[in-house]
Amino acid sequence: WLPKAHVEAPIAGSMVLAAVLLKLGGYGIIRMTPTNISTALIYPTIAMATWGIIMTGLTCLRKTDLKALIAYSSVGHMGLVASATLIQTPWSTSGAVTLMVAHGLTSSMLFCLANMLYERTSTRMLIAMRGMQKAMPLMTSYWLIASLTNLALPPTINLIGEIQIMTTLFNWSPLTIMMTATGAAITAIYSLQMFMTSQQGHLTKDSKEVYPTQTRELLIMILHALPILLLTLDSELIN
């Protein structure tokens, strides 16, 4: 239901759902999961969560709807959080909280950027948005920041959370590294593909008359990018 809710909701609903409501769910899992949870429940749940990371990543590779692509990306990242919360070690909980905060800012920023393109092109199809770097070069820089943080480029806060979770899962079971590493590679591929498709290339006929970036839009982007930068410089701010 999550991708459908993201796609059908207005931009404010998508941003709040990705940045706040999903993270409240993760927080609830951390607080409500019993400490003596049965291994019969842990094994299938973590297996489904890690397998979901790969499945959602492969789905993102073939998505042409920009908003749906970002929504499925959120599902994949929450698979990492769900698997980390079941390990129930201080390192895994710290990684889950770090990734939730980082992804909340990143996904909200991506949804906002997608809506800015939709307002100018009246479409969410990636192929119809190509060449936006020529029309809005300043907005392209924010697209680059959001795409690189989404794929957990070093030394962003997203990487810190993912490394903590992947390390914890590997210590719990070395087999999980195959799933998490594959999922991380697929995330990098579709994040770069999303950026290249929407920003590079020749402008379409309908996109040659798009209006430039507005001050309110730049302010929203700064309010997303600044916390990501501050958390990257000092991840202890989360704790």
Side-chain angles (χ1 to χ4, degrees), residues 86-98:
L86 292 174
I87 303 298
Q88 293 187 335
T89 63
W91 191 255
S92 67
T93 304
S94 175
V97 173
T98 301

Side-chain angles (χ1 to χ4, degrees), residues 88-147:
Q88 293 187 335
T89 63
W91 191 255
S92 67
T93 304
S94 175
V97 173
T98 301
L99 186 58
M100 282 194 291
V101 173
H103 181 260
L105 293 167
T106 304
S107 61
S108 177
M109 187 177 182
L110 283 171
F111 276 116
C112 192
L113 286 167
N115 184 70
M116 292 175 187
L117 291 184
Y118 175 73
E119 290 177 346
R120 289 166 169 81
T121 61
S122 299
T123 180
R124 294 198 302 262
M125 306 305 287
L126 272 170
I127 194 64
M129 298 177 177
R130 64 182 186 274
M132 283 297 161
Q133 182 177 2
K134 298 177 181 178
M136 298 185 296
L138 184 57
M139 191 59 66
T140 302
S141 62
Y142 288 106
W143 265 106
L144 181 62
I145 293 172
S147 299

Side-chain angles (χ1 to χ4, degrees), residues 135-175:
M136 298 185 296
L138 184 57
M139 191 59 66
T140 302
S141 62
Y142 288 106
W143 265 106
L144 181 62
I145 293 172
S147 299
L148 293 181
T149 52
N150 190 60
L151 63 85
L153 181 80
T156 57
I157 187 66
N158 300 59
L159 178 71
I160 297 174
E162 289 194 13
I163 288 297
Q164 285 181 310
I165 293 174
M166 292 171 68
T167 303
T168 305
L169 288 173
F170 180 77
N171 290 332
W172 178 75
S173 174
L175 293 176

Side-chain angles (χ1 to χ4, degrees), residues 15-231:
M15 293 173 67
V16 171
L17 176 60
V20 180
L21 297 182
L22 275 180
K23 278 61 194 179
L24 284 176
Y27 175 75
I29 294 174
I30 294 174
R31 292 301 300 268
M32 300 302 293
T33 303
T35 54
N36 57 346
I37 186 171
S38 172
T39 55
L41 181 62
I42 291 180
Y43 282 103
T45 306
I46 292 182
M48 290 177 61
T50 52
W51 180 246
I53 298 169
I54 297 178
M55 288 294 100
T56 52
L58 293 176
T59 303
C60 288
L61 288 176
R62 59 186 295 271
K63 279 293 175 183
T64 57
D65 187 324
L66 179 58
K67 205 172 182 183
L69 192 158
I70 300 170
Y72 276 99
S73 175
S74 296
V75 177
H77 284 92
M78 287 303 102
L80 275 175
V81 173
S83 59
T85 54
L86 292 174
I87 303 298
Q88 293 187 335
T89 63
W91 191 255
S92 67
T93 304
S94 175
V97 173
T98 301
L99 186 58
M100 282 194 291
V101 173
H103 181 260
L105 293 167
T106 304
S107 61
S108 177
M109 187 177 182
L110 283 171
F111 276 116
C112 192
L113 286 167
N115 184 70
M116 292 175 187
L117 291 184
Y118 175 73
E119 290 177 346
R120 289 166 169 81
T121 61
S122 299
T123 180
R124 294 198 302 262
M125 306 305 287
L126 272 170
I127 194 64
M129 298 177 177
R130 64 182 186 274
M132 283 297 161
Q133 182 177 2
K134 298 177 181 178
M136 298 185 296
L138 184 57
M139 191 59 66
T140 302
S141 62
Y142 288 106
W143 265 106
L144 181 62
I145 293 172
S147 299
L148 293 181
T149 52
N150 190 60
L151 63 85
L153 181 80
T156 57
I157 187 66
N158 300 59
L159 178 71
I160 297 174
E162 289 194 13
I163 288 297
Q164 285 181 310
I165 293 174
M166 292 171 68
T167 303
T168 305
L169 288 173
F170 180 77
N171 290 332
W172 178 75
S173 174
L175 293 176
T176 58
I177 193 64
M178 295 187 294
M179 315 291 282
T180 54
T182 304
I186 296 174
T187 301
I189 294 172
Y190 71 70
S191 296
L192 293 176
Q193 182 185 21
M194 174 180 64
F195 173 77
M196 296 294 291
T197 305
S198 62
Q199 304 302 311
Q200 302 294 319
H202 298 287
L203 279 170
T204 61
K205 293 181 180 179
D206 297 331
S207 302
K208 290 183 178 179
E209 298 180 358
V210 298
Y211 55 90
T213 309
Q214 299 179 353
T215 304
R216 65 176 178 84
E217 295 172 336
L218 293 177
L219 178 60
I220 295 173
M221 291 300 99
I222 291 173
L223 292 176
H224 280 88
L226 190 59
I228 293 175
L229 176 61
L230 292 176
L231 290 173

